[in-house]
């Protein structure tokens, strides 16, 4: 501890301070000692990670932080949310400022390798889209030649945009904004013709606009954006905990375990996999340094994957996203958890 | 009496390093230096170790890799196929252009305000005081955001300029129209104005990947030669005036030597203006100045000019009252007194603090990220840093570049400062 305080005063960059702090022991031990999970989240993307009217973080990504906290610490509320922008998020994670980053971050080759991160799972399969005002009279992204496009800096969308316009032999003027709220402001002020980011983010932004019906999301999806929780390289046990906390939510949906019926299922279920997952059979928890009831608590925190989806971004919410690619594999989607065995 | 004897020869003992005042200060300095070096090497060693532990290398190879992103304002050719190094260079030029125009306008405005603040006219003096106090006491970032929001929210969108067939049939006018004989358009994105072009250009030469327009260089040389010829004509007129008391008429000669050759060159090269036209989503053709640049320039100039005004006022007040009284006694008018007597002397006091204002302005350009102006901070320290994940390299390189720019500015200004200082004769 002393070491990191000393370092903090001396270090020329926060990066130096952070790495040393993160080095002391495993992430799991550090979280248990601290009694709190530090989760990097969005500065504010409705439905995914944004403070509600009472200032409590809520959302699809935030629910995963809660599930991990419940699995590790036994209490879903023991999470400290650190809002990060597209630009600061990876530095925050690399420096050890956050234990876990769940912030609509796209899994790419270079982030996985040269940035030395592990994308432990994909909690939302997304793709980049465009939003334009209806009165612009554009119905396809291919008609955007010469347009001014607002784009968040430090994202994969920046590179996809350049590639897409080049591949279609079109030109554009980029307006580089720091975060989603600034992007929306510029787009609404008319400083750009189109706003581009992940289609889920566009839907979330559109839901918060006063005149949502005057904006349309163009049909083209120009990229693959697998979004998922990220941890640092090097602490594989911690990566396992986050991965399986997420998969336990998927398995729960598959097996029909919900936040409401989990107590009942735990007592009555005869399915061996459910019993293993809920810690009634076998010794699964200690294999990654947790107790046997970790998954039970993770699921009880905010329900299974499907419940979290519907509560935060599903078709009943203002954001109104369909499950689509994010349906379970049994229902034609891509969400597939390896067996708990 | 020869009491003074040589001091007893004392051999050097280790304790003298602390107890002997002759050595003590040196001892302390050596210890502090050693501690400083130890801390520094520990810091460097720590960084190296941690980078190794993270499996991250420390190299600048990424500067030669494909950047993959686009930049809004580019004064040298750049595409997303160019390298990160080139993107950095584009950003650097954006920084320098902003700083250059910022320093010039801030100096002009600052000197005017500084002089007017001392005006005997009550209203003018108070107005300038209000300006100075308001601008230097509110954070610069707020001024930048304010001027950007005003520009981007109040100006019409490009589509408001469009005239459709239905509108002409109905005899309606578009919501907005261009100014100055349809040559200039101000939209909520930027200022579009005519671009000077040549039909028979001399081409361009490329130096380190930066194209220099030969026609522009020749044009500037011709104008410079004209200015020199004008200087010769005027000093000859001065000499004649001193000899004979009659100043020959020179204004038509001046105009002829300055404007004549330049005009001939432009006509010979086929000079024309390319007007901006509304095509698709935006105006195309002509020169486009994005509002992010304009807003930054306005805010930087207004903010820094408030400080420069105070520097100028201090410089003027430092000149003894006797100087202006003597000038008035000789019959000089107040504005001639200011420009011929007071300001030249005040410069000696003004320039050193002015240098630091220039440095401040230059460093403050890095706030451009707030309004999407891609300067060095936005390219190298923003997108490149993020896409490559080379935080340490990008930050160090960026700091080194800002340091270099600042040192160049301050050494140039110091040369000028030395030339206006009092000379001991």
């Amino acid at each position: 501890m002393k070491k990191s305080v000393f370092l903090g005063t001396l270090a020329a960059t926060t990066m130096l301070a952070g790495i040393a702090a993160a080095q002391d022991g495993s992430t799991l031990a550090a979280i248990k000692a601290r009694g709190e999970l530090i989760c990097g989240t969005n500065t504010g993307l409705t439905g995914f990670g944004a403070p509600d009217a009472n200032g409590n973080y809520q959302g699809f990504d935030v629910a995963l932080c809660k599930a991990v906290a419940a699995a590790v610490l036994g209490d879903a509320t023991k999470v400290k949310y650190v809002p990060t922008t597209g630009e600061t998020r990876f530095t925050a994670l690399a420096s050890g400022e956050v234990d876990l980053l769940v912030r609509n971050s796209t899994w790419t080759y270079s982030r996985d390798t040269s940035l030395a991160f592990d994308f432990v799972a994909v909690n939302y399969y997304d793709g980049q889209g465009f939003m334009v005002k209806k009165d612009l009279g554009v119905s396809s992204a291919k008609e955007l030649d010469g347009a001014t496009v607002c784009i968040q800096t430090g994202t994969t969308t920046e590179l996809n945009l350049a590639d897409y316009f080049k591949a279609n032999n079109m030109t554009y003027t980029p307006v580089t904004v720091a975060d989603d709220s600034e992007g929306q402001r510029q787009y609404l002020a008319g400083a750009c013709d189109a706003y581009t980011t992940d289609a889920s983010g566009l839907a979330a932004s559109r839901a918060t606009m006063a005149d949502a019906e005057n904006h349309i999301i163009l049909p083209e999806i120009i990229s693959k954006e697998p979004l998922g929780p990220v941890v640092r390289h090097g602490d594989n046990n911690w990566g396992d905990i986050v991965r399986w906390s997420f998969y336990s939510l998927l398995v729960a949906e598959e097996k029909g375990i919900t936040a409401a019926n989990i107590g009942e299922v735990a007592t009555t279920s005869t399915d061996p996999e459910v019993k293993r997952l809920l810690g009634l059979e076998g010794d699964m928890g200690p294999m990654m340094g947790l107790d046997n009831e970790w998954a039970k608590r993770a699921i009880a925190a905010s329900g299974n994957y499907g419940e979290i989806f519907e509560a935060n971004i599903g078709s009943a919410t203002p954001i109104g996203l369909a499950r689509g690619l994010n349906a379970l594999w049994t229902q034609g989607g891509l969400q597939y958890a390896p067996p708990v065995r | 009496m020869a009491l003074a004897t040589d001091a007893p020869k004392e051999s050097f003992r280790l304790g003298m390093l602390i107890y002997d005042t002759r050595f003590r200060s040196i001892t302390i300095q050596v210890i502090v230096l050693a501690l400083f070096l130890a801390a520094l090497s520990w810091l460097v060693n720590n960084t190296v170790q941690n980078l190794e532990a993270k499996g991250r290398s420390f190299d600048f190879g990424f500067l030669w890799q494909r950047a993959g992103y686009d930049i809004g304002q580019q004064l040298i050719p750049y595409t997303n196929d160019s390298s990160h190094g080139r993107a950095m260079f584009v950003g650097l030029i954006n920084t320098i252009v902003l700083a250059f125009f910022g320093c010039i306008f801030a100096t002009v405005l600052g000197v005017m305000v500084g002089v007017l603040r001392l005006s005997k006219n009550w209203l003018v003096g108070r107005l300038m005081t209000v300006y100075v106090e308001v601008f230097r006491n509110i954070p610069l970032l707020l001024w930048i955001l304010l001027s950007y929001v005003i520009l981007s929210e109040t100006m019409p969108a490009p589509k408001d300029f469009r005239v459709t067939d239905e509108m002409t049939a109905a005899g309606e006018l578009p919501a907005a129209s261009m100014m100055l004989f349809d040559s200039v358009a101000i939209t909520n994105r930027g200022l579009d104005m005519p671009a000077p072009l040549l039909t028979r250009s001399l081409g361009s030469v490329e130096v380190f990947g930066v194209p220099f327009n030969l026609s522009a260089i020749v044009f500037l040389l011709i104008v410079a030669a004209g200015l020199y010829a004008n200087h010769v004509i005027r000093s000859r007129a001065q000499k004649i005036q001193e000899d004979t008391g009659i100043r020959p008429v020179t204004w038509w000669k001046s105009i002829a030597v300055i404007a004549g050759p330049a005009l001939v060159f432009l006509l010979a090269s086929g000079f024309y203006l390319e007007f901006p036209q509304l095509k698709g989503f935006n105006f195309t053709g002509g020169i486009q100045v994005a509002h992010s640049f304009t807003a930054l320039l306005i805010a930087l100039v207004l903010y820094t000019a408030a400080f420069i005004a105070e520097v100028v006022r201090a410089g003027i007040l430092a000149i003894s009252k006797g100087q202006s009284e003597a000038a008035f006694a000789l019959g000089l008018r107040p504005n001639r007194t200011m420009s011929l007597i007071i300001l030249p002397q005040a410069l000696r006091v003004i320039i050193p603090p002015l240098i630091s204002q220039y440095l401040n302005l230059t460093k403050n350009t890095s706030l451009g990220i707030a309004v999407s102006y891609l300067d060095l901070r936005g390219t190298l320290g923003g997108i490149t840093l993020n896409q490559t994940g080379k935080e340490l390299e990008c930050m160090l390189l960026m700091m080194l570049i800002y340091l270099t720019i600042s040192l160049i500015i301050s050494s140039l200004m110091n040369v000028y400062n030395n030339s206006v200082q009092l000379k001991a004769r």
Side-chain angles (χ1 to χ4, degrees):
Chain A
M1 199 59 214
K2 261 211 172 122
K3 189 182 168 198
S4 64
V5 172
F6 179 44
L7 241 173
T9 53
L10 263 182
T13 65
T14 48
M15 186 184 163
L16 308 181
I19 289 174
Q23 255 182 354
D24 300 341
S26 74
T27 314
L28 179 62
I31 293 168
K32 280 187 168 161
R34 199 192 300 131
E36 194 177 51
L37 170 74
I38 304 181
C39 200
T41 181
N42 209 303
T43 45
L45 182 61
T46 311
F48 285 86
D52 63 10
N54 301 322
N56 299 318
Y57 266 88
Q58 300 293 348
F60 181 75
D61 280 346
V62 168
L64 183 54
C65 294
K66 287 182 178 168
V68 174
V72 174
L73 297 166
D75 187 346
T77 61
K78 286 190 175 160
V79 190
K80 185 180 158 202
Y81 298 99
V82 174
T84 55
T85 66
E87 211 173 356
T88 59
R89 55 184 165 175
F90 293 124
T91 317
L93 181 63
S95 68
E97 194 186 331
V98 298
D99 301 315
L100 163 69
L101 181 72
V102 198
R103 191 209 171 277
N104 329 79
S105 300
T106 307
W107 185 350
T108 67
Y109 175 81
S110 61
R111 286 175 180 174
D112 204 343
T113 55
S114 95
L115 287 191
F117 292 138
D118 277 333
F119 287 77
V120 292
V122 176
N123 69 341
Y124 192 92
Y125 288 95
D126 207 346
Q128 183 177 347
F130 294 92
M131 177 162 60
V132 294
K133 290 185 182 133
K134 238 178 204 164
D135 61 8
L136 197 65
V138 169
S139 58
S140 157
K142 298 244 166 81
E143 296 165 23
L144 285 175
D145 192 12
T148 305
V149 182
C150 278
I151 179 141
Q152 287 182 54
T153 184
T155 58
T156 48
T157 51
E158 209 161 36
L159 308 179
N160 297 332
L161 180 71
D163 290 351
Y164 181 76
F165 273 78
K166 195 163 144 188
N168 287 291
N169 207 9
M170 305 193 293
T171 58
Y172 71 104
T173 311
V175 174
T176 316
V177 297
D179 57 25
D180 188 57
S181 60
E182 173 67 5
Q184 282 187 49
R185 195 196 68 72
Q186 297 232 22
Y187 165 72
L188 288 174
C192 41
D193 299 302
Y195 180 39
T196 181
T197 184
D198 297 339
S200 63
L202 288 179
S205 301
R206 186 166 165 267
T208 60
M209 287 175 184
D211 56 339
E213 68 280 2
N214 293 332
H215 304 272
I216 52 169
I217 295 171
L218 299 177
E220 281 85 357
I221 296 294
I222 66 169
S223 67
K224 291 187 288 185
E225 306 283 340
L227 312 179
V230 201
V231 298
R232 283 179 295 275
H233 257 183
D235 191 346
N236 293 358
N237 181 44
W238 174 238
D240 290 343
I241 290 173
V242 176
R243 178 181 298 118
W244 284 99
S245 297
F246 171 68
Y247 282 148
S248 71
L249 305 179
L250 278 185
V251 176
E253 190 187 0
E254 208 180 310
K255 300 285 179 191
I257 310 171
T258 64
N261 72 7
I262 189 164
E264 190 197 328
V265 172
T267 49
T268 59
S269 177
T270 50
D271 184 335
E273 187 165 8
V274 171
K275 287 184 129 180
R276 277 194 300 273
L277 181 72
L278 298 183
L280 306 171
E281 203 179 281
D283 233 2
M284 308 301 276
M287 291 182 192
M288 55 182 191
L290 299 177
D291 60 21
N292 270 329
E293 298 216 312
W294 63 274
K296 199 174 162 185
R297 291 192 304 266
I299 299 163
S302 346
N304 63 37
Y305 181 81
E307 286 182 278
I308 294 172
F309 193 101
E310 292 305 332
N312 293 298
I313 52 177
S315 41
T317 64
I319 296 162
L321 290 169
R323 283 294 286 272
L325 288 176
N326 294 293
L328 289 182
W329 62 285
T330 50
Q331 287 150 28
L334 290 175
Q335 292 294 358
Y336 182 107
V340 181
R341 186 172 292 284
Chain B
M1 295 242 308
L3 281 178
T5 54
D6 288 342
K9 279 227 166 147
E10 224 183 313
S11 61
F12 180 78
R13 284 175 289 106
L14 214 54
M16 286 166 69
L17 285 178
I18 297 169
Y19 297 115
D20 192 322
T21 47
R22 285 175 300 174
F23 301 121
R24 191 189 289 151
S25 68
I26 295 172
T27 316
I28 292 172
Q29 288 181 47
V30 168
I31 291 173
V32 169
L33 184 67
L35 283 177
F36 174 73
L37 288 178
L40 196 68
S41 60
W42 177 80
L43 201 61
V44 171
N45 184 38
N46 188 288
T47 310
V48 171
Q49 276 183 0
N50 281 316
L51 283 174
E52 240 166 55
K54 296 260 92 182
R56 308 269 294 266
S57 62
F58 184 84
D59 69 84
F60 288 91
F62 67 94
L63 286 176
W64 282 267
Q65 288 165 7
R66 178 177 180 267
Y69 60 89
D70 285 292
I71 300 176
Q73 176 184 320
Q74 32 183 281
L75 298 173
I76 59 170
Y78 169 87
T79 66
N80 53 47
D81 285 327
S82 308
S83 64
H84 280 296
R86 181 112 181 150
M88 173 188 86
F89 204 50
V90 173
L92 175 62
I93 290 178
N94 286 348
T95 294
I96 291 176
V97 166
L98 186 59
F100 177 77
F101 285 110
C103 287
I104 290 178
F105 292 139
T107 312
V108 173
L109 184 64
V111 170
M112 277 180 3
V113 173
V115 172
L116 287 181
R117 204 183 159 181
L118 292 169
S119 163
K120 290 204 175 63
N121 184 322
W122 187 87
L123 183 66
V124 171
R126 289 300 93 72
L127 270 180
M128 293 304 135
T129 310
V130 169
Y131 160 73
V132 167
E133 295 305 338
V134 166
F135 272 87
R136 67 176 187 159
N137 288 311
I138 292 178
L140 173 59
L141 183 61
L142 301 187
W143 289 118
I144 294 176
L145 291 173
L146 180 73
S147 48
Y148 184 68
V149 168
I150 288 177
L151 285 173
S152 65
E153 304 260 356
T154 60
M155 296 299 164
K159 67 172 166 29
D160 293 339
F161 289 82
R162 188 166 294 132
V163 185
T164 57
D165 293 341
E166 295 146 30
M167 286 167 75
T168 18
E172 283 173 17
L173 286 173
S177 52
M178 295 170 78
M179 299 185 300
L180 295 173
F181 310 106
D182 278 359
S183 64
V184 176
I186 303 176
T187 68
N188 58 358
R189 292 164 193 178
L191 169 75
D192 291 273
M193 54 188 183
L197 291 176
L198 304 174
T199 42
R200 290 178 292 277
S201 175
L202 295 175
S204 58
V205 281
E206 221 166 83
V207 183
F208 296 115
V210 184
F212 286 96
N213 189 328
L214 280 178
S215 299
I217 293 171
V218 171
F219 180 73
L220 288 178
L221 284 177
I222 290 174
V223 171
L227 286 175
Y228 178 73
N230 179 42
H231 175 73
V232 172
I233 291 171
R234 283 179 65 101
S235 53
R236 188 174 296 152
Q238 185 77 21
K239 194 159 174 293
I240 294 174
Q241 185 180 17
E242 278 165 13
D243 290 348
T244 65
I246 302 162
R247 190 177 177 89
V249 181
T250 57
W251 62 266
W252 59 271
K253 286 187 201 161
S254 299
I255 292 175
V257 294
I258 296 174
L263 277 177
V264 169
F265 174 73
L266 287 181
L267 283 177
S269 313
F271 176 82
Y272 70 101
L273 286 173
E274 189 193 44
F275 291 97
Q277 301 231 311
L278 186 61
K279 265 188 198 154
F281 299 99
N282 285 310
F283 280 92
T284 53
I287 296 175
Q288 282 143 353
V289 184
H291 278 330
S292 52
F293 177 82
T294 321
L296 265 177
L297 188 65
I298 291 174
L300 281 170
V301 165
L302 289 178
Y303 181 80
T304 315
F307 287 89
I308 293 180
E310 287 298 89
V311 168
V312 170
R313 187 170 71 107
I316 292 172
L317 289 179
I319 305 303
S320 129
K321 205 169 187 313
Q323 294 285 325
S324 47
E325 284 170 349
F328 291 149
L330 287 173
L332 282 175
R333 279 169 282 129
N335 55 345
R336 301 285 282 168
T337 308
M338 184 55 80
S339 61
L340 290 176
I341 312 285
I342 309 293
L343 274 183
Q345 297 187 74
L347 271 185
R348 289 172 196 139
V349 183
I350 291 172
I351 292 197
L354 190 64
I355 300 175
S356 74
Q357 291 307 327
Y358 285 174
L359 298 183
N360 278 344
L361 191 148
T362 308
K363 288 177 289 179
N364 284 341
T365 57
S366 58
L367 288 171
I369 191 74
V371 289
S372 319
Y373 184 72
L374 284 184
D375 60 352
L376 186 65
R377 160 74 182 77
T379 56
L380 176 68
I383 304 179
T384 294
L385 182 152
N386 251 282
Q387 301 295 1
T388 59
K390 299 275 185 190
E391 290 101 345
L392 202 57
E393 291 90 333
C394 287
M395 281 298 162
L396 288 177
L397 190 58
M398 196 161 62
M399 286 157 84
L400 185 72
I401 293 174
Y402 275 116
L403 180 69
T404 314
I405 298 175
S406 293
L407 288 179
I408 290 173
I409 293 176
S410 76
S411 54
L412 286 180
M413 287 301 291
N414 274 323
V415 169
Y416 180 60
N417 188 30
N418 287 336
S419 72
V420 297
Q421 286 305 310
L422 272 180
K423 307 274 188 310
R425 293 196 174 86

